[in-house]
Amino acid sequence: MIDIVLLTFLAATAIAVVRHRNLFAVVMLAGIYSLLSAGLFVTLDAVDVAFTEAAVGAGISTVLFLATLALTGPREAVPVRKPYLPMVVVSITGAALIWGTLDMPRFADPQAPIHQHVAPRYIETSPTEIGIPNMVTSVLASYRGYDTFGEVTVIFTAGVGVLALLGIRRKRSSKDAAEKE
Amino acid sequence: MNWVGLYNYWIVIFLMMTGFYIVVSQGNLVKKLVGLNLFQTSVFIQYISMGKMPGGTAPIESSAPAVYSNPLPHVLILTAIVVGVATTALGLALAVRIKQAYGTVEEDRIREEDRNV
């Protein structure tokens, strides 16, 4: 029941994000959106995901967005074109996706294929096999350790990319300015 | 046919399409990234919804017998959240660089400047 309320709030927040032109408000609404989804994850039993979403999605992302806004300005220009074409594209895509959900297993169906594959094995044997009561940690760090390694690689690459875009360039441009003088 | 069981998925699709709409229709690059984040979070909700078991609890072993929700989507989404913030940071860094180079983050004006060059 509470998840239906949270989902409705999420939809309302998303509409507010579309309508606001003040980017500061948009970023704050995006933080609220993240926090609401963290609450939703708790009701759906994903406590680890909720932690991460609240800390990373609502926390770090919002800080990053605010830091960017400080450099790029908080106002969004009023669009010149009417967004009819995007509206049509989005409606058609959404309708196709909804049509696709009709075949999906219903919410919280114990017979759904997702519960039949490796998950029962993780649930039954990981507490004894790995020795950690939290199954999510066991799967993350042990059974699917390669995924986590790939994640670390992506973060490293993104960090290098951010440094390459912001740090080194700025130094070179200040050197150029010094040479011109 | 039980339609109530699809409510989660439909809201997910609505959120996803809202994010998609922001990305394609709005000209401001920072707002596009917010739209991308909305889209991303909707995918997270989709995965976590699929892992829910009826009457389940969080997948942490307890002494009392319990039904646990599926831990696998939780793991995948933990990875995805962190990767998502890394890509957002890269996108924002690009936006800052574009602001330095063009003096604006509005798509239309960037295109104008390109045409003038």
Side-chain angles (χ1 to χ4, degrees):
Chain A
M1 188 61 216
I2 191 166
D3 57 332
I4 289 179
V5 175
L6 282 171
L7 282 164
T8 312
F9 270 138
L10 276 169
T13 317
I15 294 171
V17 168
V18 176
R19 298 188 59 85
H20 269 281
R21 298 237 153 262
N22 185 341
L23 291 174
F24 186 72
V26 165
V27 168
M28 284 299 126
L29 283 166
I32 292 170
Y33 180 90
S34 278
L35 200 63
L36 282 171
S37 58
L40 185 66
F41 293 150
V42 173
T43 67
L44 295 174
D45 302 339
V47 282
D48 307 74
V49 182
F51 263 158
T52 316
E53 178 68 33
V56 174
I60 298 177
S61 288
T62 310
V63 170
L64 288 174
F65 271 110
L66 287 177
T68 310
L69 281 190
L71 295 169
T72 60
R75 294 300 305 184
E76 183 189 16
V78 180
V80 265
R81 280 171 269 108
K82 284 274 173 230
Y84 293 128
L85 182 63
M87 205 62 190
V88 171
V89 171
V90 163
S91 307
I92 292 174
T93 318
L97 284 171
I98 285 186
W99 183 54
T101 60
L102 298 182
D103 284 346
M104 282 186 68
R106 295 302 181 262
F107 176 65
D109 176 5
Q111 298 306 316
I114 189 171
H115 299 306
Q116 310 301 324
H117 190 46
V118 288
R121 187 186 171 281
Y122 288 153
I123 291 172
E124 276 156 29
T125 60
S126 82
T128 49
E129 223 170 42
I130 312 293
I132 305 171
N134 188 336
M135 295 155 202
V136 176
T137 312
S138 306
V139 179
L140 183 81
S142 182
Y143 295 109
R144 300 192 69 93
Y146 271 110
D147 280 10
T148 310
F149 178 64
E151 172 193 341
V152 174
T153 314
V154 171
I155 297 166
F156 177 71
T157 316
V160 170
V162 170
L163 284 179
L165 279 168
L166 297 180
I168 298 168
R169 283 287 180 141
R170 195 173 291 160
K171 229 175 260 171
R172 188 179 297 159
S173 61
S174 63
K175 203 193 282 172
D176 286 350
E179 276 167 12
K180 271 176 202 160
E181 282 167 16
Chain B
M1 267 264 170
N2 174 17
W3 298 97
V4 181
L6 293 174
Y7 182 75
N8 272 37
Y9 303 146
W10 289 354
I11 291 283
V12 162
I13 289 169
F14 177 80
L15 297 175
M16 200 185 269
M17 288 306 112
T18 313
F20 184 30
Y21 176 79
I22 294 174
V23 173
V24 290
S25 74
Q26 314 264 331
N28 189 296
L29 296 177
V30 177
K31 188 144 183 195
K32 271 179 199 282
L33 285 166
V34 173
L36 218 54
N37 266 5
L38 294 197
F39 192 107
Q40 204 175 26
T41 311
S42 77
V43 178
F44 301 162
I45 296 169
Q46 164 81 358
Y47 266 67
I48 301 294
S49 301
M50 286 180 1
K52 173 77 176 159
M53 278 289 246
T57 63
I60 298 170
E61 195 197 22
S62 57
S63 45
V67 179
Y68 301 113
S69 285
N70 193 337
L72 191 56
H74 300 186
V75 173
L76 299 178
I77 295 314
L78 275 180
T79 309
I81 288 174
V82 179
V83 167
V85 94
T87 49
T88 304
L90 193 64
L92 289 171
L94 278 169
V96 169
R97 273 299 296 155
I98 288 170
K99 171 77 177 181
Q100 285 174 358
Y102 289 86
T104 177
V105 284
E106 298 289 339
E107 220 178 30
D108 295 336
R109 276 200 262 154
I110 293 170
R111 210 169 287 144
E112 255 169 50
E113 293 234 349
D114 274 345
R115 225 174 278 137
N116 294 340
V117 173

